[in-house]
Amino acid sequence: MTMTIHCDIVSAEEEIFSGLVEMLVATADLGEMGVTYGHAPLLSSLIPGPVRIVKQGGEEEVYYVSGGFIEVQPGVVTILADAALRAHDVDEAAAEEARKEAVHALTNQTGDFDYGRASAQLAEAAAQLATLRKMRNRAGRG
Amino acid sequence: MAVGKEIRTKINSIRSTQKITSAMEMVAASKMRKAQERMEVGKPYSRRMRDVVGHIANSAPEYQHAYMVEREVRRVGFIVVSTDRGLCGGLNINLFKATVRAMKEWADRDVKIELCLIGAKAAAFFKAYGGNVKAAVRDIGEDPSLADLIGSVKTMLDAYEAEEIDRLFLVSNEFVNPMTQLPRVEQLLPLEADDSKEMKHHWDYIYEPDAKELLERLLVRYIESQVYQSVVENGACEQAARMLAMKNATDNAGELIDDLQLVYNKARQAAITQELSEIVSGAAAISS
């Protein structure tokens, strides 16, 4: 049997997931990162992107996280998300709309243009779409 | 019949007060449910956040953030979370008593005190009581937003970083159940390591990307989430306390009305009896 660790995913609004996982893959600041049993203690920030977990028994689930922190302790991984969604709940049309809007804002900059906000919106929408793609690929394969 | 006109007016006025208090009770009950939900929703995040920060406090980090270093205490800061409105029983008073007790402990040791007040009631109390107020927020409403609180919390954090205060406490009400709320004084800064943990040996995290930046962001987020959560919890306490206070007021008004009704009935009966005996004795005088 594969060794498992306890995983908690919470957002400011709710507890998204709590249970044993075989592996967790999150999008950290410096790139995608996998955590399995026995990982060294680690603290990192997350950027908007998918979090994939392999639950005990091999079942996979994908969540979308809009940034936050990940903490790895010997027996437990905690994801403190600013906002998190089950990937199923991500609204593809809305994400695509937000992406277009952000791109539009970035290309047609006006006087009171907030670059930081627009690029954050773009990153978030792109990450949501990437999460959906990833989930779909997996569904197609499985 | 002119008997007990004053009593009737009194009963009517108490009855209309009772109507108001019972309406307030019902409003508070429904608001409490909402406030309680809001509190429950935020709980997992703030609890996990506290766990994580507890782990950090237990580690031996390569980079010592200012929030983790114990300093000699010359000044302390208190963040006091109170309500904006009154009519909620002893909720605020109990909280202020606990605050004053904690403040006195420090004052006895010649430690100066800075206050950050959340809610109009705290502002009113400490204006009368005295105290050095560094920041104050009021009118946070029933659905507090983090944005309203960040400013004054940041004032305290900046003061801590500038070594103007050496310790920071959070005073707020704890929601035990709808009948019980307890004032609680909690140390926010510096972070306290709990000694119950199993990982006693020297260890540290791998930080990605950079310890300094990461800890800064995480710890500020931690303080904000703790303050926010306690404000939300205090909101639930407020509604629960108000519900109870208004229920008591309604009950008391009911008792008062019963008592007055008894007095009124007695007076009315006495008047009738007197009238009857006058008629009877009048009739007897004529017939004899």
Coordinates of all heavy atoms in Angstrom, one line a residue, chain A residues 57-138:
Chain A
G57 N -6.2 5.2 -2.4 CA -7.0 4.4 -3.3 C -6.8 4.8 -4.7 O -7.2 4.0 -5.6
G58 N -6.2 5.9 -5.0 CA -5.9 6.3 -6.4 C -6.8 7.2 -7.0 O -6.6 7.7 -8.1
E59 N -7.9 7.5 -6.4 CA -8.9 8.5 -7.0 C -8.3 9.9 -7.0 O -7.7 10.3 -6.1 CB -10.2 8.5 -6.2 CG -11.3 9.0 -7.0 CD -12.5 9.2 -6.1 OE1 -12.7 8.4 -5.1 OE2 -13.3 10.2 -6.3
E60 N -8.4 10.6 -8.2 CA -7.9 11.9 -8.3 C -8.9 13.0 -8.2 O -10.0 12.8 -8.6 CB -7.1 12.0 -9.6 CG -5.9 11.2 -9.7 CD -5.0 11.6 -10.8 OE1 -5.3 12.6 -11.5 OE2 -4.0 10.9 -11.1
E61 N -8.5 14.1 -7.7 CA -9.4 15.3 -7.7 C -8.6 16.5 -8.0 O -7.4 16.6 -7.6 CB -10.0 15.4 -6.3 CG -11.5 15.0 -6.3 CD -12.1 15.0 -5.0 OE1 -12.1 16.1 -4.3 OE2 -12.7 14.0 -4.6
V62 N -9.2 17.5 -8.7 CA -8.5 18.7 -9.0 C -9.2 19.9 -8.4 O -10.5 20.0 -8.4 CB -8.4 18.9 -10.5 CG1 -7.6 20.2 -10.8 CG2 -7.7 17.7 -11.2
Y63 N -8.5 20.8 -7.8 CA -9.1 22.0 -7.2 C -8.4 23.2 -7.8 O -7.2 23.1 -8.3 CB -8.8 22.0 -5.7 CG -9.5 20.9 -5.0 CD1 -8.9 19.8 -4.6 CD2 -10.9 21.0 -4.6 CE1 -9.5 18.7 -4.0 CE2 -11.5 20.0 -4.0 CZ -10.8 18.8 -3.7 OH -11.5 17.8 -3.0
Y64 N -9.1 24.3 -7.8 CA -8.5 25.5 -8.3 C -8.2 26.4 -7.1 O -9.1 26.6 -6.3 CB -9.4 26.2 -9.3 CG -9.0 27.6 -9.6 CD1 -7.8 27.8 -10.3 CD2 -9.6 28.7 -9.0 CE1 -7.4 29.1 -10.5 CE2 -9.1 30.0 -9.1 CZ -8.0 30.2 -9.9 OH -7.6 31.4 -10.1
V65 N -7.0 26.9 -7.0 CA -6.6 27.8 -5.9 C -6.2 29.1 -6.4 O -5.4 29.2 -7.4 CB -5.5 27.1 -5.0 CG1 -4.9 28.1 -4.1 CG2 -6.1 25.9 -4.3
S66 N -6.6 30.2 -5.9 CA -6.3 31.5 -6.4 C -5.1 32.1 -5.7 O -5.0 33.3 -5.6 CB -7.5 32.5 -6.3 OG -7.7 32.8 -4.9
G67 N -4.2 31.3 -5.2 CA -3.1 31.8 -4.4 C -3.2 31.6 -2.9 O -4.3 31.3 -2.5
G68 N -2.1 31.6 -2.2 CA -2.2 31.3 -0.8 C -0.9 30.8 -0.3 O 0.2 31.1 -0.9
F69 N -0.9 29.9 0.6 CA 0.3 29.3 1.2 C 0.2 27.8 1.3 O -0.9 27.2 1.4 CB 0.6 29.8 2.6 CG 0.8 31.3 2.6 CD1 -0.3 32.1 2.9 CD2 2.0 31.9 2.3 CE1 -0.1 33.5 2.9 CE2 2.2 33.2 2.3 CZ 1.1 34.0 2.6
I70 N 1.3 27.1 1.2 CA 1.3 25.7 1.4 C 2.3 25.4 2.5 O 3.4 26.0 2.6 CB 1.6 24.8 0.2 CG1 1.7 23.3 0.5 CG2 2.9 25.3 -0.5 CD1 1.7 22.4 -0.7
E71 N 1.9 24.5 3.5 CA 2.9 24.2 4.5 C 3.0 22.6 4.5 O 1.9 22.0 4.5 CB 2.4 24.6 5.9 CG 3.4 24.5 7.0 CD 2.9 23.9 8.3 OE1 1.8 23.3 8.3 OE2 3.5 24.1 9.3
V72 N 4.2 22.1 4.5 CA 4.4 20.7 4.6 C 5.0 20.4 5.9 O 6.0 20.9 6.3 CB 5.2 20.2 3.5 CG1 5.4 18.6 3.5 CG2 4.7 20.6 2.1
Q73 N 4.4 19.5 6.7 CA 4.9 19.0 7.9 C 5.1 17.5 7.7 O 4.5 16.9 6.8 CB 3.9 19.3 9.1 CG 4.0 20.7 9.6 CD 5.1 20.9 10.5 OE1 5.3 20.2 11.4 NE2 5.8 22.0 10.3
P74 N 5.8 16.8 8.6 CA 6.0 15.4 8.3 C 4.8 14.6 8.0 O 4.8 13.8 7.1 CB 6.7 14.9 9.6 CG 7.4 16.1 10.2 CD 6.6 17.3 9.7
G75 N 3.7 14.8 8.8 CA 2.5 14.0 8.5 C 1.3 14.7 7.9 O 0.3 14.1 7.7
V76 N 1.5 16.0 7.7 CA 0.4 16.7 7.2 C 0.7 17.9 6.3 O 1.8 18.5 6.4 CB -0.4 17.3 8.4 CG1 0.5 18.0 9.4 CG2 -1.6 18.2 8.0
V77 N -0.1 18.0 5.2 CA 0.1 19.1 4.3 C -1.1 20.0 4.5 O -2.2 19.6 4.5 CB 0.1 18.7 2.8 CG1 0.6 19.8 1.9 CG2 0.9 17.4 2.6
T78 N -0.8 21.3 4.6 CA -1.9 22.3 4.7 C -1.8 23.3 3.6 O -0.8 23.9 3.4 CB -1.8 23.0 6.1 OG1 -1.7 22.1 7.1 CG2 -3.1 23.8 6.3
I79 N -3.0 23.5 2.9 CA -3.0 24.6 1.9 C -4.0 25.6 2.4 O -5.1 25.4 2.7 CB -3.5 24.0 0.6 CG1 -2.4 23.2 0.0 CG2 -3.8 25.2 -0.4 CD1 -2.6 22.8 -1.4
L80 N -3.4 26.8 2.6 CA -4.2 28.0 3.1 C -4.5 28.8 1.8 O -3.6 29.5 1.4 CB -3.5 28.8 4.1 CG -3.1 28.1 5.4 CD1 -2.0 28.8 6.1 CD2 -4.3 27.9 6.3
A81 N -5.6 28.6 1.3 CA -5.9 29.3 0.0 C -6.6 30.6 0.2 O -7.4 30.7 1.2 CB -6.8 28.4 -0.9
D82 N -6.4 31.6 -0.6 CA -7.2 32.8 -0.5 C -8.6 32.5 -1.0 O -9.5 32.9 -0.3 CB -6.6 33.9 -1.5 CG -5.1 34.2 -1.1 OD1 -4.8 33.9 0.1 OD2 -4.4 34.7 -1.9
A83 N -8.7 31.8 -2.0 CA -10.0 31.3 -2.5 C -9.8 30.0 -3.2 O -8.8 29.8 -3.9 CB -10.7 32.3 -3.4
A84 N -10.6 29.0 -3.0 CA -10.4 27.7 -3.6 C -11.8 27.2 -4.2 O -12.8 27.5 -3.6 CB -9.8 26.7 -2.7
L85 N -11.7 26.5 -5.2 CA -12.9 26.0 -5.9 C -12.6 24.5 -6.3 O -11.5 24.2 -6.6 CB -13.3 26.7 -7.1 CG -13.8 28.1 -7.0 CD1 -13.9 28.7 -8.4 CD2 -15.2 28.1 -6.4
R86 N -13.7 23.7 -6.2 CA -13.5 22.4 -6.9 C -13.5 22.7 -8.4 O -14.2 23.6 -8.8 CB -14.7 21.5 -6.5 CG -14.6 20.9 -5.2 CD -15.8 20.1 -4.8 NE -15.6 19.8 -3.4 CZ -15.9 20.7 -2.4 NH1 -16.5 21.8 -2.7 NH2 -15.7 20.4 -1.1
A87 N -12.6 22.0 -9.1 CA -12.5 22.3 -10.5 C -13.8 22.3 -11.2 O -14.0 23.0 -12.2 CB -11.5 21.4 -11.1
H88 N -14.7 21.4 -10.8 CA -16.0 21.3 -11.5 C -16.8 22.6 -11.4 O -17.6 22.9 -12.2 CB -16.9 20.2 -10.8 CG -16.3 18.8 -11.1 ND1 -16.5 18.2 -12.3 CD2 -15.6 18.0 -10.3 CE1 -16.0 17.0 -12.3 NE2 -15.4 16.8 -11.1
D89 N -16.5 23.3 -10.3 CA -17.3 24.6 -10.0 C -16.7 25.8 -10.8 O -17.3 26.8 -10.8 CB -17.3 24.9 -8.6 CG -17.9 23.8 -7.7 OD1 -18.7 23.0 -8.4 OD2 -17.7 23.7 -6.5
V90 N -15.5 25.6 -11.4 CA -15.0 26.7 -12.2 C -15.8 26.9 -13.4 O -16.1 26.0 -14.2 CB -13.5 26.4 -12.6 CG1 -13.0 27.5 -13.5 CG2 -12.6 26.2 -11.4
D91 N -16.3 28.2 -13.6 CA -17.1 28.5 -14.7 C -16.3 28.9 -15.9 O -15.6 29.9 -15.9 CB -18.0 29.7 -14.3 CG -19.0 30.0 -15.4 OD1 -18.9 29.5 -16.5 OD2 -20.0 30.7 -15.1
E92 N -16.3 28.0 -16.9 CA -15.3 28.2 -18.0 C -15.7 29.4 -18.8 O -14.8 30.2 -19.1 CB -15.4 27.0 -19.0 CG -14.4 27.1 -20.1 CD -14.2 25.9 -20.9 OE1 -15.1 25.0 -20.8 OE2 -13.3 25.8 -21.7
A93 N -16.9 29.7 -19.0 CA -17.3 30.8 -19.8 C -16.9 32.1 -19.1 O -16.3 33.0 -19.7 CB -18.8 30.8 -20.0
A94 N -17.1 32.1 -17.8 CA -16.8 33.3 -17.0 C -15.3 33.5 -17.0 O -14.8 34.7 -17.1 CB -17.3 33.2 -15.6
A95 N -14.5 32.4 -16.9 CA -13.1 32.5 -16.8 C -12.6 33.1 -18.2 O -11.7 33.9 -18.2 CB -12.5 31.2 -16.5
E96 N -13.1 32.6 -19.3 CA -12.7 33.0 -20.6 C -13.0 34.5 -20.8 O -12.2 35.2 -21.3 CB -13.5 32.1 -21.6 CG -13.1 32.4 -23.1 CD -11.6 32.1 -23.4 OE1 -11.1 31.2 -22.8 OE2 -11.0 33.0 -24.1
E97 N -14.2 34.8 -20.3 CA -14.7 36.2 -20.4 C -13.7 37.1 -19.6 O -13.2 38.2 -20.1 CB -16.1 36.3 -19.8 CG -16.7 37.7 -19.9 CD -17.0 38.1 -21.3 OE1 -17.1 37.2 -22.2 OE2 -17.0 39.3 -21.6
A98 N -13.3 36.7 -18.4 CA -12.4 37.5 -17.6 C -11.0 37.6 -18.2 O -10.4 38.6 -18.2 CB -12.3 36.8 -16.2
R99 N -10.6 36.5 -18.9 CA -9.3 36.5 -19.5 C -9.3 37.5 -20.7 O -8.4 38.3 -20.8 CB -9.0 35.1 -20.1 CG -7.6 34.9 -20.5 CD -7.4 33.6 -21.2 NE -8.0 33.5 -22.5 CZ -7.5 34.0 -23.6 NH1 -6.3 34.5 -23.6 NH2 -8.2 33.9 -24.7
K100 N -10.4 37.5 -21.5 CA -10.5 38.4 -22.6 C -10.5 39.8 -22.1 O -9.8 40.7 -22.7 CB -11.7 38.1 -23.4 CG -11.5 37.0 -24.4 CD -12.7 36.9 -25.4 CE -12.7 35.7 -26.2 NZ -14.0 35.0 -26.3
E101 N -11.2 40.1 -21.1 CA -11.3 41.4 -20.5 C -10.0 41.9 -20.1 O -9.6 43.1 -20.3 CB -12.3 41.4 -19.3 CG -13.0 42.7 -19.0 CD -14.0 42.4 -17.9 OE1 -15.1 41.9 -18.2 OE2 -13.7 42.8 -16.8
A102 N -9.3 41.0 -19.4 CA -7.9 41.4 -18.9 C -7.0 41.7 -20.0 O -6.2 42.7 -20.0 CB -7.4 40.3 -18.0
V103 N -7.0 40.8 -21.1 CA -6.1 41.0 -22.2 C -6.5 42.4 -22.9 O -5.6 43.2 -23.2 CB -6.3 39.9 -23.2 CG1 -5.6 40.2 -24.5 CG2 -5.7 38.6 -22.6
H104 N -7.8 42.6 -23.0 CA -8.2 43.8 -23.6 C -7.7 45.1 -22.8 O -7.2 46.0 -23.4 CB -9.8 43.8 -23.7 CG -10.3 45.1 -24.3 ND1 -10.4 45.3 -25.6 CD2 -10.9 46.2 -23.7 CE1 -10.9 46.5 -25.8 NE2 -11.2 47.0 -24.7
A105 N -7.9 45.0 -21.5 CA -7.4 46.1 -20.6 C -5.9 46.3 -20.8 O -5.4 47.4 -20.7 CB -7.8 45.7 -19.2
L106 N -5.2 45.2 -20.9 CA -3.7 45.3 -21.0 C -3.3 45.9 -22.3 O -2.3 46.6 -22.4 CB -3.1 43.9 -20.8 CG -3.0 43.4 -19.3 CD1 -2.6 41.9 -19.3 CD2 -2.0 44.2 -18.5
T107 N -4.0 45.6 -23.4 CA -3.6 46.1 -24.7 C -4.1 47.5 -24.9 O -3.5 48.3 -25.6 CB -4.1 45.2 -25.8 OG1 -5.5 44.8 -25.5 CG2 -3.3 43.9 -25.9
N108 N -5.3 47.9 -24.4 CA -5.8 49.2 -24.5 C -5.7 50.0 -23.2 O -6.7 50.2 -22.5 CB -7.2 49.2 -25.0 CG -7.4 48.4 -26.2 OD1 -6.8 48.7 -27.3 ND2 -8.1 47.3 -26.1
Q109 N -4.5 50.4 -22.8 CA -4.4 51.0 -21.5 C -4.9 52.4 -21.5 O -4.5 53.2 -22.4 CB -2.9 51.0 -21.1 CG -2.4 49.6 -21.1 CD -1.0 49.5 -20.6 OE1 -0.4 50.5 -20.2 NE2 -0.4 48.3 -20.5
T110 N -5.7 52.7 -20.6 CA -6.2 54.1 -20.5 C -5.5 54.8 -19.3 O -4.6 54.3 -18.7 CB -7.7 54.1 -20.2 OG1 -8.0 53.2 -19.2 CG2 -8.5 53.7 -21.5
G111 N -5.9 56.0 -19.1 CA -5.2 56.9 -18.1 C -5.2 56.3 -16.7 O -4.1 56.1 -16.1
D112 N -6.3 55.9 -16.2 CA -6.4 55.4 -14.8 C -6.2 53.9 -14.8 O -7.0 53.2 -14.1 CB -7.6 55.9 -14.1 CG -8.9 55.5 -14.9 OD1 -8.7 55.0 -16.1 OD2 -10.0 55.6 -14.4
F113 N -5.3 53.4 -15.5 CA -5.2 52.0 -15.7 C -4.4 51.3 -14.6 O -3.4 51.8 -14.2 CB -4.5 51.7 -17.0 CG -4.2 50.2 -17.3 CD1 -5.3 49.4 -17.6 CD2 -3.0 49.7 -17.2 CE1 -5.1 48.0 -17.8 CE2 -2.7 48.4 -17.4 CZ -3.8 47.5 -17.7
D114 N -5.0 50.3 -14.0 CA -4.3 49.6 -12.9 C -3.7 48.3 -13.4 O -4.3 47.3 -13.6 CB -5.4 49.3 -11.8 CG -4.7 48.7 -10.6 OD1 -3.6 48.3 -10.6 OD2 -5.4 48.7 -9.5
Y115 N -2.4 48.5 -13.7 CA -1.7 47.3 -14.3 C -1.7 46.1 -13.4 O -1.9 45.0 -13.9 CB -0.2 47.8 -14.7 CG 0.5 46.7 -15.4 CD1 0.4 46.6 -16.8 CD2 1.3 45.8 -14.7 CE1 1.1 45.6 -17.5 CE2 2.0 44.8 -15.4 CZ 1.9 44.7 -16.8 OH 2.5 43.7 -17.4
G116 N -1.4 46.3 -12.2 CA -1.3 45.2 -11.2 C -2.6 44.4 -11.2 O -2.6 43.2 -11.3
R117 N -3.7 45.1 -11.2 CA -5.0 44.4 -11.1 C -5.3 43.6 -12.3 O -5.7 42.5 -12.3 CB -6.1 45.4 -10.8 CG -6.9 45.0 -9.5 CD -8.0 45.8 -9.2 NE -9.1 45.6 -10.2 CZ -10.1 46.5 -10.4 NH1 -10.1 47.6 -9.7 NH2 -11.1 46.2 -11.2
A118 N -5.1 44.3 -13.5 CA -5.4 43.6 -14.7 C -4.5 42.4 -14.9 O -5.0 41.3 -15.3 CB -5.2 44.6 -15.9
S119 N -3.2 42.5 -14.6 CA -2.4 41.3 -14.8 C -2.7 40.2 -13.8 O -2.7 39.0 -14.1 CB -0.9 41.7 -14.7 OG -0.6 42.3 -13.5
A120 N -3.1 40.6 -12.6 CA -3.6 39.6 -11.7 C -4.8 38.9 -12.1 O -5.0 37.7 -12.0 CB -3.8 40.2 -10.3
Q121 N -5.7 39.7 -12.7 CA -7.0 39.1 -13.3 C -6.7 38.1 -14.4 O -7.2 37.0 -14.5 CB -7.9 40.2 -13.7 CG -9.3 39.7 -14.1 CD -10.1 40.8 -14.7 OE1 -9.7 42.0 -14.8 NE2 -11.3 40.5 -15.1
L122 N -5.7 38.6 -15.2 CA -5.3 37.7 -16.4 C -4.7 36.4 -15.9 O -5.1 35.3 -16.3 CB -4.3 38.5 -17.3 CG -3.8 37.7 -18.4 CD1 -4.9 37.2 -19.4 CD2 -2.8 38.5 -19.2
A123 N -3.8 36.5 -14.9 CA -3.2 35.3 -14.4 C -4.2 34.4 -13.8 O -4.1 33.1 -14.0 CB -2.1 35.7 -13.3
E124 N -5.1 34.9 -13.1 CA -6.1 34.1 -12.4 C -7.0 33.4 -13.4 O -7.3 32.2 -13.3 CB -7.0 35.0 -11.5 CG -7.6 34.2 -10.4 CD -8.1 35.1 -9.3 OE1 -7.2 35.8 -8.6 OE2 -9.3 35.1 -9.0
A125 N -7.5 34.1 -14.4 CA -8.4 33.5 -15.4 C -7.6 32.5 -16.2 O -8.2 31.4 -16.5 CB -8.9 34.6 -16.4
A126 N -6.4 32.8 -16.6 CA -5.6 31.8 -17.3 C -5.4 30.5 -16.5 O -5.5 29.4 -17.0 CB -4.3 32.4 -17.7
A127 N -5.2 30.7 -15.2 CA -5.0 29.6 -14.3 C -6.2 28.7 -14.2 O -6.2 27.5 -14.2 CB -4.5 30.0 -12.9
Q128 N -7.4 29.4 -14.2 CA -8.6 28.7 -14.1 C -8.8 27.8 -15.3 O -9.2 26.7 -15.2 CB -9.8 29.6 -13.9 CG -9.9 30.2 -12.5 CD -11.1 31.0 -12.3 OE1 -12.0 31.2 -13.2 NE2 -11.3 31.5 -11.1
L129 N -8.5 28.4 -16.5 CA -8.7 27.7 -17.7 C -7.7 26.5 -17.8 O -8.1 25.4 -18.2 CB -8.5 28.6 -18.9 CG -9.6 29.7 -19.1 CD1 -9.2 30.7 -20.1 CD2 -10.9 29.0 -19.5
A130 N -6.5 26.7 -17.3 CA -5.5 25.7 -17.3 C -6.0 24.5 -16.4 O -5.8 23.3 -16.7 CB -4.2 26.2 -16.8
T131 N -6.6 24.9 -15.3 CA -7.1 23.9 -14.4 C -8.2 23.0 -15.1 O -8.2 21.8 -15.0 CB -7.8 24.5 -13.1 OG1 -6.9 25.4 -12.6 CG2 -8.2 23.5 -12.1
L132 N -9.1 23.7 -15.8 CA -10.1 23.0 -16.5 C -9.5 22.0 -17.6 O -9.9 20.9 -17.7 CB -11.1 23.9 -17.2 CG -12.1 24.6 -16.2 CD1 -12.9 25.6 -16.9 CD2 -13.0 23.5 -15.7
R133 N -8.5 22.5 -18.3 CA -7.9 21.7 -19.3 C -7.3 20.5 -18.7 O -7.5 19.4 -19.2 CB -6.8 22.5 -20.0 CG -7.3 23.1 -21.4 CD -6.1 23.5 -22.3 NE -5.2 24.4 -21.6 CZ -5.4 25.7 -21.5 NH1 -6.5 26.2 -22.0 NH2 -4.5 26.5 -20.9
K134 N -6.6 20.7 -17.6 CA -5.9 19.6 -17.0 C -7.0 18.5 -16.6 O -6.8 17.3 -16.8 CB -5.2 20.1 -15.8 CG -4.2 19.1 -15.2 CD -3.3 19.8 -14.2 CE -1.9 19.8 -14.7 NZ -1.0 20.5 -13.8
M135 N -8.0 19.0 -16.0 CA -9.0 18.1 -15.5 C -9.6 17.3 -16.7 O -9.8 16.1 -16.6 CB -10.1 18.8 -14.8 CG -11.0 18.0 -14.0 SD -12.2 19.0 -13.2 CE -13.2 19.5 -14.6
R136 N -9.8 18.0 -17.8 CA -10.5 17.3 -18.9 C -9.5 16.3 -19.5 O -10.0 15.2 -19.9 CB -10.8 18.4 -20.0 CG -12.2 18.1 -20.6 CD -12.8 19.2 -21.3 NE -13.5 20.1 -20.4 CZ -13.4 21.5 -20.6 NH1 -12.7 22.0 -21.5 NH2 -14.2 22.2 -19.8
N137 N -8.3 16.6 -19.7 CA -7.3 15.7 -20.2 C -7.3 14.4 -19.4 O -7.3 13.3 -19.9 CB -5.9 16.2 -20.0 CG -5.6 17.3 -21.1 OD1 -6.4 17.3 -22.1 ND2 -4.6 18.1 -20.9
R138 N -7.4 14.6 -18.1 CA -7.4 13.4 -17.2 C -8.6 12.6 -17.4 O -8.6 11.4 -17.5 CB -7.3 13.9 -15.7 CG -6.5 13.1 -14.9 CD -6.1 13.9 -13.6 NE -5.2 14.9 -14.0 CZ -3.9 14.7 -14.3 NH1 -3.5 13.5 -14.3 NH2 -3.1 15.7 -14.5

